[in-house]
Amino acid sequence: MTAELVRGQNHPLSQVRLEIRITAGVPVVAGATLSDENGKVHGVEWVAHPGAPTLPGLEVSRQAAAEHRLAVDLAALPEPVHRVDVLLALPSGVGGPLRFGAVAAPSVAVTGLDGTETARYTITGLDAESAVVAMELYRRQGAWKVRAVGQGYAGGLAALLTDQGLPQADELAGSIQEAVARGQARSIPVPPPRTADGDRSQQAAAPSAGFDQPHSAPRGTPDAVPPGRAHPYGGQTPPVDPGPFEPSGGPVDYTHPRRNATPPPPAPQAPPVPSGQPAAPIAGDAAGWSMDERLYNQVWGMFEDLARTTAAYRSAVDFADSRLEKELDQILSDPRGRLGSAGDAAREAARAKRDGIVDQARAALDRDLAQLTAEAEVVEPALPPAYARWDNPVWHGYQVPTEPPLALRLGDLHLPESAPLRVPMLVRLPLERGLWIDSGRATAPDGSVTEPGELRHLAMGAAVALAARLLAVHPAGEFGVQVIDPAGSAAQALGPLVRSGVLAAPPAAGAAGVADVLDRLTRRVDLVQMAVRGGAAESLPPGLDTSRQLLIVTDFPHGFDDRAVTALRYLADEGPAVGVHLLVVADREDAAAYGPLLDPLWRSLMRLSPVPDDHLADPWVGHAWTYEPSLVPPGSEVLQHVLAKVAAACPKYK
C-alpha cells in the first residue's frame, strides 16, 4: 500500500535501491543534494544536477522534463552522507511558466526497482515559488526514511542552493540553467488533455498550462515557512535576502489532489468552493482505510500544521530581531549619524521595519490558526470514544466495541501562540511504553504552583481516567486493570474502578500484596515470551489470562523493596511487547534514595503531568508543547456510565 504523505510526514524505507519518480505538468529541472548529519552540503561536488548528473549512489536526469526517474542506491552513498534532498526547479529563459502556482502540482513518488510505490507526495500550496525541496531521504539510527518537505523558494534555484549552505550558489544555479537550456529540446512535452470523445484533433488544439495560466486542481496546505527564512524541520537558517517579510502561499486549504484516491471507502468530500478560496474543513478528510484511521491522520496533520506555522512565525520574529540589532549596530558605528535627529530617525525607521515584519508574520499566523480552529471545531465532535474528550456527546451513546482502536487520546497539546487551539495528543495502540504521571512539584506555564496534596489527587484522577478509557475502548474481556496501592492512600480516587467491578482484583496493599502482583505479572510475561519465541502459543497454561493488562502503581516507591523494584523495571522493559503495560503515579523525589538505579525506569516511561505543563518537545521543529491531561469534567457521571457498560459486557466482572 502506498503511503500518501502530507507535508512534514515521514515513512520508513525498507529497500536501499530506489527510484524517485517525478511527474509535473510542465518540464522541470530535477536534482539532489547530499548533506552530512548536521545538514551541511560540503560543496558543489555534493550536488547532482543536469550538468553533473552522477554521484556515488545517485543519478539524476540530464535535462528538464515533465517526468523524471532518479536512481538512488542508499548503500552506495558516501559514509558521511545522512540526507539526500530532492530538488525541483522551473527552467528559466525558455518561455515557460515562471512560478509553480501557474502549473499543476508536481508529484514525487519513491518506488522500488520493480515500480512498487512506497510513498508518494503531491506538492501543493506553491504560488510564487520557482524552486522547491520536494522531499528528503534521511538516515537516523542506521535506518533510512523519507519525509515530505515541500519547501518552496520564490528566489529560484539560487535561493534554494544558498539555503543549503553553498557559497557558490549563484554560479552553480547559472551553470545548471545553462545545462538545461542545452538539453531543453530533448525534454518530454506536456501531454495534451484528453477529450470526452477522444477526438485527436481537439486534443492537439487544446492549450497546455503556461505562464500564469490558472490551474483548476485543488490547492493544499501552503508553505507556512517563508522562503529563505527557516527550514521547516527546525533549521534556523539565516535569511538570504534582508527584504520585507512576505509569507508565501495563501490560507490553509484542506483539500488534497490525491487525498481520497485510495481504494478504501472514500473519505467525505468537501463541497465545491469558489476559486481562490480555501475549502471548508470536513472531518475525515485524510487518507486511510477506515474513518478512525482517517481521523487519526487528520489530527496528526493538524499537529504538523500548527507546529509548522508557529515555527514560521518564530523564525520571522527571530529574523526581525536580528535585523533590528544589526541595523542599530550599523547606526551606532557611524559617528556622523548616531547622534541628533538623524540618528533618532534611523533608529525609529529600523524599529518600524522590525514591527512591520512581526505584524505581517502575526497576520499569517492568525490566518492559519483561524483555519486550524475551524478544522478542530469540525473534527472534535466527529471523534470516536478512543479519541474524544470526556465531555464529547459520543460517550452518552457509548457501546462496548468489538475491535480495539487504532490509537488513544492521552490529553491535549497547545503552544503559547495558539493557546485557545487544542490538538488531541493521540498515541498508537498497543502502547509501546509505560506511562508515568508525575505527582511531584510542578510549575504551570503561567507561573502558578499547585500544592503537593492537590497534585497527588489530580494525578490519581488522571490515572483513573486513562485506565477507564483503555477499558472502554477495548472489546469486552480483552483488557484488564490491576492496581498496587501499598498504603491505601488512593482508595478514594480509585472508587469508580472499584465500585463498578472492572478491576481484575481488589487493589493490592502492603509489601506482600506488591510482591504477589509483581510475581504474577512477571510470570505471565515470562510464559508468553517463551511461547512466542518457541512458536508454541497453544501450550500456555489453560488458566493464564492472556488479555492485555494495565498495572497502576500508586505512591511508588512506598512498599517496594529492592526485589520489587527490579521486578517493576523488568515489567517496564519487557511487558509492553507481550501485553503488560505500566501506569506509575509517583513523585521522582520520593525515590531519590535509589539514586541512579531508577534512572532507566524513568527513561522508559512517558512522563505526563496532572496539570498543564510544557514538558513535551517534538523532535520535528523542537517546540516545547504544553500538555493538558484528559480529565472527566467535575460533577459528570460519564465515567460511571461507561464503566457500568464495560462491567456488564464482560462475564468475568460479574
Side-chain angles (χ1 to χ4, degrees), residues 366-394:
D366 290 342
R367 176 202 68 203
D368 291 343
L369 290 180
Q371 293 291 336
L372 287 170
T373 300
E375 184 174 22
E377 291 173 351
V378 172
V379 170
E380 191 68 50
L383 295 177
Y387 306 170
R389 290 197 300 251
W390 284 107
D391 59 357
N392 193 310
V394 71

Side-chain angles (χ1 to χ4, degrees), residues 261-615:
T262 54
Q269 298 289 325
V273 296
S275 177
Q277 297 184 15
I282 58 175
D285 186 19
W289 289 87
S290 65
M291 177 57 81
D292 284 6
E293 185 178 359
R294 292 198 289 266
L295 288 168
Y296 173 83
N297 290 334
Q298 187 171 13
V299 169
W300 177 247
M302 292 166 60
F303 171 82
E304 291 179 341
D305 287 343
L306 180 56
R308 187 166 45 247
T309 191
T310 305
Y313 171 73
R314 292 180 179 179
S315 176
V317 173
D318 289 343
F319 164 64
D321 290 340
S322 63
R323 172 171 156 169
L324 173 62
E325 183 178 354
K326 180 180 179 181
E327 292 184 355
L328 292 178
D329 287 343
Q330 291 176 345
I331 294 170
L332 292 174
S333 65
D334 185 358
R336 297 170 297 177
R338 64 187 177 197
L339 300 176
S341 58
D344 293 339
R347 285 188 287 271
E348 187 63 29
R351 294 189 181 94
K353 290 180 183 178
R354 185 265 179 198
D355 293 342
I357 293 174
V358 173
D359 289 345
Q360 291 191 46
R362 185 69 216 193
L365 175 65
D366 290 342
R367 176 202 68 203
D368 291 343
L369 290 180
Q371 293 291 336
L372 287 170
T373 300
E375 184 174 22
E377 291 173 351
V378 172
V379 170
E380 191 68 50
L383 295 177
Y387 306 170
R389 290 197 300 251
W390 284 107
D391 59 357
N392 193 310
V394 71
W395 289 108
H396 297 297
Y398 167 77
Q399 297 294 329
V400 177
T402 58
E403 295 182 357
L406 177 72
L408 186 83
R409 185 175 192 154
L410 294 183
D412 295 330
L413 298 172
H414 67 88
L415 293 169
E417 293 86 351
S418 58
L421 175 62
R422 300 310 198 253
V423 178
M425 179 181 175
L426 304 181
V427 295
R428 296 294 291 263
L429 291 180
L431 296 171
E432 297 180 356
R433 302 172 61 189
L435 303 174
W436 163 35
I437 300 181
D438 190 355
S439 60
R441 185 178 181 86
T443 302
D446 60 3
S448 61
V449 178
T450 308
E451 292 297 324
E454 180 66 14
L455 267 177
R456 291 179 184 273
H457 174 73
L458 292 173
M460 280 307 306
V464 169
L466 272 175
R469 184 184 292 268
L470 282 165
L471 284 167
V473 301
H474 281 85
E478 292 190 12
F479 198 91
V481 175
Q482 302 189 46
V483 179
I484 291 178
D485 185 19
S489 59
Q492 181 179 358
L494 292 169
L497 298 177
V498 175
R499 289 191 296 271
S500 62
V502 295
L503 294 181
V514 171
D516 179 61
V517 172
L518 293 177
D519 287 345
R520 283 190 285 106
L521 289 178
T522 301
R523 177 174 175 271
R524 179 195 181 283
V525 170
D526 290 339
L527 289 173
V528 175
Q529 277 186 338
M530 287 188 292
V532 171
R533 291 169 182 170
E538 67 281 354
S539 63
L540 287 169
L544 185 70
D545 186 359
T546 57
S547 63
R548 292 192 172 273
Q549 299 290 320
L550 176 71
L551 175 60
I552 302 177
V553 179
T554 70
D555 285 341
F556 178 78
H558 182 80
F560 281 70
D561 56 18
D562 291 346
R563 183 171 177 271
V565 168
T566 301
L568 191 69
R569 286 184 52 187
Y570 175 76
L571 292 178
D573 293 337
E574 303 295 334
V578 290
V580 176
H581 310 281
L582 291 184
L583 176 54
V584 179
V585 181
D587 179 357
R588 188 169 182 173
E589 292 299 320
D590 293 343
Y594 285 92
L597 176 65
L598 290 181
D599 286 351
L601 173 65
W602 304 122
R603 287 196 297 266
S604 69
L605 303 175
M606 177 187 293
R607 176 178 175 261
L608 303 175
S609 58
V611 294
D613 186 27
D614 58 352
H615 67 281

